[in-house]
Amino acid sequence: MEFTNFFNPHSVAIVGSMSSGKLGAILAGQILEGGYQGILSAVNPKSEGVLGIPGYPSTSAIPAVPDLALIVSPASTVASVLDECGRSGIHSALIITSGFSEVGNHEGEEEIKEVAHKHGIRFIGPNCAGIANARFSFFPTLELRTSAGGIGFITQSGALGGVVLGRAQQRGLGISKFISYGNGSDLSQVDFLNYLADDEDTKVIALYIESVANGRAFMNALAECSRRKPVLVIKAGRTTAGTRATASHTGSMAGSDAVYDAAIRSSGAIRVRTVDGLLDICEGFTQISHLDGKKIIIVTNSGGPGVLTADHAEDIGLSVAEPGTDLQAQLRTFLPGHCSLKNPIDLTVEGTEENYRNTLKSALKFYDAAVAINVGTPYLDNLSLARGVVDGARSSGKPILACFAPEQLMTESINYMQQAGIACYPNGEQAVSVLAEIARYEGYRTRRFEKKIIQSTAVSRTLPGNGKMLEPEAMTWLKENGIPVPDFLVAANEKEAELACEKIGYPTVMKVVSPDILHKSDVGGVIVGIRDEESARQAFKAIQKSATGKDFRGVVIYPMVKDAQEILLGLSTDPQFGPVVAFGLGGIYTEIWRDIVLRVAPVEPEEALEMIHEIRAINLLKGARGKLPFDLENLAKTLSTFSHLPFIYPQICEVDLNPVFLRPEGLVVGDVRVITR
Amino acid sequence: MEFTNFFNPHSVAIVGSMSSGKLGAILAGQILEGGYQGILSAVNPKSEGVLGIPGYPSTSAIPAVPDLALIVSPASTVASVLDECGRSGIHSALIITSGFSEVGNHEGEEEIKEVAHKHGIRFIGPNCAGIANARFSFFPTLELRTSAGGIGFITQSGALGGVVLGRAQQRGLGISKFISYGNGSDLSQVDFLNYLADDEDTKVIALYIESVANGRAFMNALAECSRRKPVLVIKAGRTTAGTRATASHTGSMAGSDAVYDAAIRSSGAIRVRTVDGLLDICEGFTQISHLDGKKIIIVTNSGGPGVLTADHAEDIGLSVAEPGTDLQAQLRTFLPGHCSLKNPIDLTVEGTEENYRNTLKSALKFYDAAVAINVGTPYLDNLSLARGVVDGARSSGKPILACFAPEQLMTESINYMQQAGIACYPNGEQAVSVLAEIARYEGYRTRRFEKKIIQSTAVSRTLPGNGKMLEPEAMTWLKENGIPVPDFLVAANEKEAELACEKIGYPTVMKVVSPDILHKSDVGGVIVGIRDEESARQAFKAIQKSATGKDFRGVVIYPMVKDAQEILLGLSTDPQFGPVVAFGLGGIYTEIWRDIVLRVAPVEPEEALEMIHEIRAINLLKGARGKLPFDLENLAKTLSTFSHLPFIYPQICEVDLNPVFLRPEGLVVGDVRVITR
């Protein structure tokens, strides 16, 4: 997809009323004030022009075909405007007008899609706040104009876009491209991600979404883009109230937030929750191109802020190790005796330009990055300390983030450092949060990468019995597909049950087989700990009795498993992302701890192993308190095999293996439930 | 303690050099610029004055005795300056000078304490950044001057104080009293909390600490103060790196952060982690005096920010319930059809002053508080929307917080609302975080309140065997003190063991008794599931063998407990807070989940019950998955009884009851370990 017409057009038609206070006139004013140098035309039934822009009755009346149509005319007119655009040879449109699917007008939105498709027009919108390309001085948007910079910003919500642009402007952060896409009925996140991945002006991408149409296409675009530059995502609609609000204002049904979360993280993107968090990290990425590791040094002239920074850094997984004896000895040669040489290094209120410069230079031979803190008072010279920090960064070649506070005393210093490539934050906690995200992103870039299957391409098989499987059939099906199940035998009468128990080996477990009974335990259809022939016969009788009046097909008999760790493997189907695989603690603890990890399926063994290590109780599986550890590599292989099932058997809607018995010598499925479409 | 001399002095002596650039001269400049109207004198060996302030060679040379001495002279002179102050009749001193215990000069600090004590002088500092009373135009501080307002701010770190004052000034928040107390060697947090609790200008107290000298005195002051006005606490030094840094720059050893956390929360104070979080909540408390509950309505003119706000509100436990049919019907009478009437109520970009006013007025009949969001663009009239919000607050009498963004377009609106008593935040997430804290504080104020015992006042008893107890003795001791233990019998030989097992009733558990064996299981000294006489004899022999070469005193025999929930009860001793009581999941899950709740001991049954409900796995105890629930009231009584033990037996350093077997019919201790001082 080619975006030149949208972001670098030679000529633009604004379609809508140019009367004072109307959107057309406001938009024309914004574009002119923004300094656009191309040809502008105004189009409306009255041929009304504005601010020196000539007016025409239709796009076809404009002497030369414009590259882009900006449409702000009423919703009811948009289809015919597009039709007219198409007939006059325009192939790109930005539709700001609202009043479509977001207010229930789905027909109207379908109509404009059809008209556009007929003429080969690609469009952004409707119901959006416009776009911007600051380097081209082109601001066809209702929002604030920001300076040019390294942040590419894509947003589903126009208003949220305005908030982000406003904060960016206040913080002196520049935007390479701004894209508000509203209902996204033609061009969507996937197109914009691909565009900004290639855009040289964009160093980091910020994305705000409430929902996506095709989860897997989105994931793949996100993953490919993330390998080239960092992508930050705010996904709104996490909670019941949030989802309700999202659904009502975009007309789209949002999928489960947990699945979005898994999709975003496993695609290497960074999920953030707040606008300021987003901009903090964007600022870091525009200034820092590379980070080797997680070991940081904090250099401060004041204790309290240094301590708060160290606390937060350790909380979020950075290393704040004490300097070794080598470094300490080196520091002692030039720092006064009252300075603390632990980490944070406290230069005290007497810290000088020289102290910052030399300390940073020496320390960064041993650390991956530094946070330089200066808390000033009205009577201290802060600019010289900023110089020390900048020199430290230059001579070490390593990333430094700065926190110079209070801000109102530091304007000059902050500007000086920002221009020298040092991101500045009002406090150290923010700075270390940014470093942690950058370090995490570096980790992602070097990983193996698997595109997610978008559609089932393998030979698609039908489930046995077309999906209506009794437990023994389901167990056999699992076994044939490489999922370990225990030995089992079925028995139709007392005698067979007794023999089967003997063959399996006491103690055994006996379970009812009946298409009418879903919750076997609840009706007394499961008996455990059967120890001899007599008990086996009694058990059969009891189970048969429990199935009175039901279609009783006999019993299935398993060996009894003891002292296993109960885990669960699950498959479900998400409306946006399709098959999803789950791993977690099984049995009663599933509900108490909700210690479950999700991924969009399928997962290869490497990603499966990563999932397993993400549960909070991972130490239980690694052999806690002197117990034997489990074979997690083997578990990962099984989890991977399991996650491919929906692509071989597309009828699958849900599969629950809970519990699965995990033992040092291997795992076996304890129970299985399959739900088909 | 009377603070008039410190905050409202009639005359002040500044002791220190008045040469240009020296602290004395800087401080004199600050005080004059701040507009102080009282009498100022400068004191130094040269009798040097500054800026029209007369100079004297000593405090006794000043014609009338000053109320307060401000000391910035070198550390080595402070003791003699104090002595001179005392002899000239000064009883209050603020010592800004550093170079005492924070750099290892403990003798110097002891000396000034002694001199002050001899003369009855009370002092703030040393090593502090000064104090301020804006309403009295008195700013004896090196930090920024802020306007008067409702926030009382006490800080251990001077630099952190400067950061907070700077941010407060930027945000337009006023400070009633600023107190930087540095090493706090005389007056400390406890004194300042008591002072600000009574101070009419102070509506909310913000406190930054790194350590406290007497944990229990601090807790009691915090708890009493919190019942009168909200207290927010930043406690630094949470992590290894943070604690290391704290210790090195204040010279004091910090206690366990988990204990500080329990102490702060259970005293009704609000713990915050960041400076901006602190000021967000302070601003809320200065504007909102009362909040009835947690049910909030969000009124917005833009979808995205509304969704993010709703998401965050639900995350942190507020209710964002949908409007009922009554309210919906009422709203329909005046809101246009395109508005969404769920919660958030989305007025869309066309929302008017009338819409905000009427919606807030109607909705606040059904909700406890509102968040009003307006995302503006350069061409909208935002001030009229602010008027709508203010009217809504006035006519409803309920709290409203506002988020008008982007900030640079909203300066006028924000000022207007702040003056009308509405706190404004740059985003909705901050606003709902503030409401959640205010709601939590309202909950605290209405609770019962128990002062913590500061010293063991009860008759203090000696532990049996002076604390050297074998397991049977420890069990007997617990039983005598009201902690339920199982029936048990001791046996010295095979025959006794067999008879004891029979008497206890099979199946039984047998454990070795020996002062030499600490980890009984590790040496094979515990045998469970003994089912008959033969096994009993075998078990005794095996255990006796396991104790070969040790001082073997026989075995103790218990009935075997099955299907119990394993919990733990613990006592330990914190360097700052003394006895601490713990409750949590026992056995293997202690380490995996770390699901443990702490309190400073003792706890009464009400607080014990609260502790029990704070574990994450509380549903396990309430009868998960159809299991019987446990008697938690009874458990709380036992926990309370247990928590009093260190006050009856002051020798106790640690007691671990792990596991304790919890069953629907009651609980019994499974194992006990006592460590004495």
Side-chain angles (χ1 to χ4, degrees):
Chain A
M1 174 66 206
E2 175 56 50
F3 278 89
T4 309
N5 280 349
F6 286 97
F7 290 95
N8 301 74
H10 290 105
S11 63
V12 174
I14 309 172
V15 185
S17 168
M18 297 297 151
S19 305
S20 170
K22 292 288 182 182
L23 281 185
I26 292 169
L27 194 61
Q30 282 266 102
I31 293 172
L32 286 174
E33 281 174 36
Y36 177 59
Q37 300 294 320
I39 301 157
L40 284 167
S41 316
V43 176
N44 49 65
K46 297 188 213 159
S47 303
E48 197 176 10
V50 70
L51 302 164
I53 301 170
Y56 301 93
S58 72
T59 48
S60 48
I62 302 170
V65 180
D67 292 339
L68 176 68
L70 304 178
I71 303 175
V72 290
S73 63
S76 57
T77 68
V78 173
S80 61
V81 167
L82 277 179
D83 194 44
E84 165 78 8
C85 283
R87 280 188 278 111
S88 53
I90 298 174
H91 290 106
S92 306
L94 172 64
I95 308 173
I96 290 177
T97 306
S98 58
F100 293 92
S101 64
E102 83 280 6
V103 293
N105 178 13
H106 296 280
E107 307 73 27
E109 195 151 323
E110 277 310 307
E111 193 189 358
I112 62 171
K113 275 163 81 171
E114 277 164 31
V115 174
H117 187 71
K118 187 178 75 185
H119 292 293
I121 298 174
R122 303 305 304 262
F123 64 94
I124 297 175
N127 182 34
C128 76
I131 61 176
N133 178 3
R135 274 194 64 173
F136 193 68
S137 301
F138 185 48
F139 293 95
T141 173
L142 305 173
E143 304 297 342
L144 283 172
R145 296 190 302 274
T146 52
S147 58
I151 305 168
F153 175 37
I154 306 167
T155 178
Q156 186 166 358
S157 158
L160 201 282
V163 173
V164 172
L165 294 177
R167 287 294 292 144
Q169 193 188 59
Q170 278 186 320
R171 295 175 58 156
L173 301 177
I175 306 289
S176 59
K177 305 285 183 297
F178 167 62
I179 307 170
S180 160
Y181 66 85
N183 298 358
S185 48
D186 179 24
L187 293 166
S188 76
Q189 312 93 354
V190 171
D191 304 288
F192 304 127
L193 282 171
N194 291 338
Y195 168 56
L196 293 185
D198 281 334
D199 181 45
E200 283 180 12
D201 293 339
T202 300
K203 287 190 173 179
V204 50
I205 298 170
L207 173 63
Y208 170 89
I209 54 168
E210 292 170 356
S211 60
V212 299
N214 181 337
R216 282 168 187 265
F218 170 64
M219 258 186 99
N220 285 334
L222 204 54
E224 292 197 59
C225 192
S226 292
R227 298 185 76 73
R228 302 177 57 188
K229 48 188 79 167
V231 185
L232 281 59
V233 182
I234 297 185
K235 158 73 179 73
R238 286 182 287 115
T239 61
T240 316
T243 307
R244 193 171 66 221
T246 304
S248 74
H249 103 277
T250 64
S252 72
M253 186 54 210
S256 149
D257 185 72
V259 179
Y260 269 103
D261 199 66
I264 292 168
R265 288 158 182 274
S266 68
S267 304
I270 298 157
R271 187 169 186 186
V272 284
R273 304 213 149 176
T274 65
V275 168
D276 273 300
L278 182 82
L279 292 175
D280 281 351
I281 304 171
C282 281
E283 181 172 2
F285 275 113
T286 55
Q287 301 280 29
I288 296 176
S289 56
H290 182 71
L291 180 61
D292 280 329
K294 296 186 167 188
K295 202 176 155 196
I296 67 156
I297 185 91
I298 300 166
V299 181
T300 182
N301 70 347
S302 55
V307 177
L308 290 177
T309 303
D311 276 341
H312 191 62
E314 287 214 342
D315 272 350
I316 59 176
L318 295 174
S319 154
V320 193
E322 268 194 82
T325 45
D326 276 16
L327 176 56
Q328 293 222 12
Q330 222 173 308
L331 294 172
R332 267 295 162 239
T333 63
F334 56 82
L335 286 182
H338 62 258
C339 297
S340 164
L341 302 193
K342 294 172 183 174
N343 189 1
I345 295 178
D346 190 348
L347 305 176
T348 80
V349 68
E350 292 163 37
T352 63
E353 176 178 349
E354 280 302 304
N355 291 161
Y356 275 97
R357 176 186 297 122
N358 295 334
T359 304
L360 287 166
K361 192 177 161 186
S362 303
L364 283 171
K365 286 180 194 135
F366 301 88
Y367 290 84
D368 301 314
V371 174
I373 300 173
N374 163 31
V375 178
T377 53
Y379 60 90
L380 284 181
D381 171 18
N382 298 298
L383 190 56
S384 74
L385 303 187
R387 255 183 243 119
V389 172
V390 168
D391 291 349
R394 282 193 185 135
S395 58
S396 68
K398 296 264 181 84
I400 299 181
L401 298 182
C403 317
F404 273 41
E407 219 178 327
Q408 58 266 61
L409 301 176
M410 300 291 171
T411 324
E412 205 182 348
S413 305
I414 291 171
N415 284 341
Y416 172 75
M417 289 188 288
Q418 277 178 336
Q419 274 158 31
I422 293 178
C424 290
Y425 297 93
N427 62 61
E429 292 95 313
Q430 281 164 279
V432 293
S433 295
V434 169
L435 282 175
E437 292 298 348
I438 295 178
R440 207 167 296 145
Y441 175 68
E442 293 277 351
Y444 170 76
R445 266 217 264 220
T446 55
R447 262 184 21 180
R448 218 159 60 87
F449 168 59
E450 305 273 352
K451 253 195 176 185
K452 287 287 169 193
I453 299 171
I454 293 205
Q455 278 183 323
S456 242
T457 47
V459 187
S460 101
R461 295 192 213 153
T462 307
L463 284 167
N466 204 26
K468 296 210 183 313
M469 292 181 278
L470 292 169
E471 183 167 331
E473 291 146 23
M475 285 287 188
T476 304
W477 169 71
L478 285 173
K479 193 177 173 190
E480 285 167 5
N481 281 280
I483 314 291
V485 301
D487 292 336
F488 65 88
L489 287 168
V490 291
N493 56 47
E494 258 178 77
K495 187 65 202 165
E496 280 181 28
E498 187 190 319
L499 288 172
C501 281
E502 190 132 349
K503 217 166 171 186
I504 293 287
Y506 293 107
T508 63
V509 174
M510 197 180 289
K511 294 161 84 176
V512 67
V513 178
S514 163
D516 299 344
I517 300 174
L518 270 181
H519 300 288
K520 296 182 278 269
S521 293
D522 294 358
V523 299
V526 179
I527 293 176
V528 303
I530 299 165
R531 303 197 156 262
D532 52 34
E533 295 157 33
E534 176 53 26
S535 330
R537 285 193 301 270
Q538 294 300 332
F540 184 89
K541 271 194 260 182
I543 288 180
Q544 190 168 31
K545 205 175 162 199
S546 80
T548 308
K550 305 278 163 61
D551 179 2
F552 178 67
R553 306 271 180 95
V555 297
V556 55
I557 292 154
Y558 300 98
M560 176 111 176
V561 177
K562 278 189 73 178
D563 297 323
Q565 176 64 46
E566 295 189 3
I567 56 170
L568 77 84
L569 273 55
L571 284 167
S572 60
T573 309
D574 181 85
Q576 261 72 40
F577 290 91
V580 171
V581 60
F583 169 77
L585 287 198
I588 183 172
Y589 293 103
T590 308
E591 285 169 31
I592 295 292
W593 298 114
R594 292 172 195 186
D595 194 7
I596 292 171
V597 174
L598 296 181
R599 283 286 193 288
V600 173
V603 290
E604 298 312 311
E606 193 182 343
E607 193 175 358
L609 195 61
E610 197 182 80
M611 285 177 74
I612 294 165
H613 280 88
E614 282 176 21
I615 66 165
R616 281 175 285 138
I618 179 62
N619 284 340
L620 265 185
L621 309 189
K622 284 170 140 181
R625 289 253 256 185
K627 289 194 176 179
L628 280 177
F630 301 107
D631 182 349
L632 300 184
E633 302 250 338
N634 186 45
L635 171 59
K637 274 185 207 152
T638 304
L639 182 54
S640 169
T641 304
F642 178 66
S643 76
H644 280 85
L645 290 178
F647 300 90
I648 305 169
Y649 302 94
Q651 283 169 295
I652 287 177
C653 181
E654 283 180 36
V655 181
D656 270 354
L657 309 184
N658 187 9
V660 171
F661 298 113
L662 186 61
R663 290 172 302 179
E665 63 271 26
L667 62 89
V668 289
V669 173
D671 203 358
V672 49
R673 193 176 60 98
V674 179
I675 296 177
T676 55
R677 287 164 200 285
Chain B
M1 174 66 205
E2 174 56 49
F3 278 88
T4 310
N5 281 349
F6 286 97
F7 290 95
N8 303 73
H10 289 105
S11 62
V12 174
I14 309 172
V15 185
S17 168
M18 295 299 150
S19 305
S20 171
K22 293 288 183 179
L23 281 185
I26 292 168
L27 194 62
Q30 282 266 101
I31 293 172
L32 286 174
E33 280 174 37
Y36 177 60
Q37 299 295 319
I39 301 157
L40 284 168
S41 316
V43 175
N44 49 66
K46 298 188 212 160
S47 302
E48 198 176 7
V50 71
L51 302 165
I53 301 171
Y56 301 93
S58 71
T59 47
S60 48
I62 303 169
V65 180
D67 291 338
L68 177 67
L70 304 178
I71 302 174
V72 291
S73 61
S76 58
T77 69
V78 173
S80 61
V81 168
L82 276 179
D83 194 44
E84 164 80 9
C85 283
R87 280 187 279 111
S88 53
I90 298 174
H91 290 106
S92 307
L94 172 64
I95 308 173
I96 290 177
T97 306
S98 58
F100 294 92
S101 64
E102 83 282 6
V103 293
N105 178 12
H106 295 281
E107 307 72 28
E109 195 152 322
E110 277 310 306
E111 193 189 356
I112 62 171
K113 276 163 81 169
E114 276 164 33
V115 173
H117 186 71
K118 186 178 74 183
H119 291 293
I121 298 174
R122 303 305 305 263
F123 65 93
I124 297 175
N127 183 33
C128 75
I131 61 175
N133 178 3
R135 274 195 65 172
F136 193 66
S137 303
F138 185 48
F139 293 94
T141 173
L142 305 173
E143 305 296 342
L144 284 171
R145 295 190 303 273
T146 52
S147 58
I151 304 168
F153 174 38
I154 306 166
T155 180
Q156 186 166 358
S157 158
L160 201 283
V163 173
V164 172
L165 294 178
R167 287 295 292 143
Q169 192 188 61
Q170 276 187 320
R171 295 175 59 155
L173 301 176
I175 306 290
S176 58
K177 304 288 183 297
F178 166 64
I179 307 170
S180 160
Y181 65 86
N183 298 358
S185 48
D186 178 25
L187 293 166
S188 76
Q189 312 95 353
V190 171
D191 305 289
F192 304 128
L193 282 171
N194 291 338
Y195 169 55
L196 294 185
D198 280 335
D199 180 44
E200 282 181 12
D201 293 339
T202 300
K203 285 191 173 178
V204 51
I205 297 170
L207 174 63
Y208 171 89
I209 54 168
E210 293 170 356
S211 61
V212 298
N214 181 335
R216 284 170 185 263
F218 170 63
M219 259 186 98
N220 285 335
L222 204 54
E224 291 196 60
C225 192
S226 292
R227 299 186 74 75
R228 304 178 56 189
K229 48 187 81 168
V231 184
L232 282 59
V233 181
I234 296 187
K235 158 73 179 73
R238 287 182 286 113
T239 62
T240 316
T243 307
R244 194 171 63 219
T246 302
S248 75
H249 102 277
T250 63
S252 72
M253 186 54 209
S256 149
D257 185 72
V259 179
Y260 270 103
D261 200 66
I264 292 168
R265 289 158 182 273
S266 68
S267 303
I270 299 158
R271 187 170 185 186
V272 285
R273 303 215 150 175
T274 65
V275 168
D276 272 300
L278 181 83
L279 292 175
D280 281 350
I281 304 171
C282 280
E283 182 172 1
F285 275 115
T286 56
Q287 299 282 30
I288 296 176
S289 56
H290 182 71
L291 180 61
D292 280 329
K294 296 186 168 190
K295 202 175 155 198
I296 67 156
I297 185 91
I298 300 166
V299 181
T300 183
N301 70 345
S302 56
V307 177
L308 291 177
T309 304
D311 276 344
H312 191 63
E314 287 214 342
D315 272 352
I316 59 175
L318 295 175
S319 154
V320 193
E322 270 195 80
T325 45
D326 276 15
L327 175 56
Q328 294 223 12
Q330 223 173 307
L331 294 172
R332 267 294 162 241
T333 62
F334 56 81
L335 286 182
H338 61 259
C339 297
S340 164
L341 303 193
K342 295 171 182 174
N343 190 2
I345 295 180
D346 190 348
L347 305 175
T348 81
V349 67
E350 292 163 37
T352 63
E353 176 178 349
E354 281 301 305
N355 291 161
Y356 275 98
R357 176 186 298 124
N358 295 334
T359 303
L360 286 166
K361 192 178 160 184
S362 302
L364 283 172
K365 286 180 195 136
F366 301 87
Y367 290 84
D368 301 315
V371 174
I373 300 172
N374 163 32
V375 178
T377 53
Y379 59 91
L380 285 180
D381 171 18
N382 297 299
L383 189 56
S384 75
L385 303 188
R387 254 182 244 118
V389 172
V390 168
D391 292 350
R394 282 193 185 135
S395 58
S396 68
K398 295 263 182 85
I400 298 182
L401 296 183
C403 317
F404 274 39
E407 217 177 326
Q408 58 266 60
L409 301 176
M410 299 294 172
T411 323
E412 206 183 348
S413 304
I414 291 171
N415 284 341
Y416 173 75
M417 289 188 290
Q418 278 179 335
Q419 273 158 31
I422 292 178
C424 291
Y425 298 93
N427 62 62
E429 292 95 314
Q430 282 166 279
V432 292
S433 294
V434 170
L435 282 176
E437 292 298 349
I438 296 178
R440 206 166 298 144
Y441 175 68
E442 292 276 353
Y444 170 76
R445 265 218 264 221
T446 55
R447 261 184 22 178
R448 216 159 63 87
F449 166 61
E450 305 274 352
K451 254 194 175 184
K452 287 288 169 193
I453 298 169
I454 294 204
Q455 279 183 322
S456 241
T457 48
V459 187
S460 100
R461 292 191 214 156
T462 307
L463 284 168
N466 204 26
K468 297 208 183 314
M469 293 181 277
L470 292 169
E471 183 169 330
E473 290 146 22
M475 285 287 187
T476 303
W477 169 71
L478 285 173
K479 193 178 171 188
E480 285 167 3
N481 281 280
I483 314 290
V485 300
D487 291 337
F488 65 89
L489 287 169
V490 291
N493 56 48
E494 259 178 75
K495 188 64 204 166
E496 280 182 28
E498 187 191 318
L499 288 172
C501 282
E502 190 134 349
K503 216 165 170 185
I504 293 287
Y506 292 107
T508 62
V509 175
M510 198 181 289
K511 294 161 85 174
V512 67
V513 177
S514 162
D516 298 345
I517 301 175
L518 270 181
H519 301 288
K520 297 180 278 265
S521 293
D522 294 357
V523 299
V526 179
I527 294 176
V528 302
I530 299 164
R531 301 197 159 266
D532 51 35
E533 295 156 34
E534 176 54 25
S535 331
R537 284 192 301 270
Q538 295 299 332
F540 184 89
K541 271 194 260 183
I543 288 179
Q544 189 168 32
K545 205 176 162 198
S546 79
T548 308
K550 305 280 165 62
D551 180 1
F552 177 66
R553 306 272 181 96
V555 296
V556 56
I557 293 154
Y558 300 99
M560 175 115 177
V561 177
K562 280 189 71 178
D563 298 324
Q565 177 64 47
E566 295 189 2
I567 56 171
L568 76 84
L569 274 56
L571 284 168
S572 60
T573 309
D574 181 86
Q576 261 71 41
F577 290 90
V580 171
V581 60
F583 169 77
L585 288 197
I588 185 172
Y589 293 103
T590 308
E591 285 168 31
I592 295 291
W593 297 114
R594 292 172 197 187
D595 195 7
I596 293 171
V597 174
L598 295 182
R599 283 286 193 287
V600 172
V603 290
E604 298 312 310
E606 194 181 343
E607 192 174 359
L609 195 62
E610 197 183 81
M611 284 178 75
I612 294 164
H613 279 88
E614 282 175 22
I615 66 166
R616 281 174 286 138
I618 179 61
N619 284 341
L620 264 185
L621 308 189
K622 284 170 142 180
R625 291 252 257 187
K627 290 194 175 178
L628 281 176
F630 301 107
D631 182 348
L632 300 184
E633 303 250 339
N634 187 44
L635 171 58
K637 273 184 208 154
T638 303
L639 182 54
S640 169
T641 304
F642 178 67
S643 76
H644 280 85
L645 290 179
F647 300 91
I648 305 169
Y649 301 95
Q651 282 169 295
I652 289 177
C653 182
E654 283 180 37
V655 180
D656 270 355
L657 309 184
N658 187 11
V660 171
F661 299 112
L662 186 60
R663 290 171 303 179
E665 64 272 25
L667 62 89
V668 289
V669 172
D671 203 359
V672 49
R673 193 176 61 97
V674 179
I675 296 178
T676 55
R677 292 170 197 281

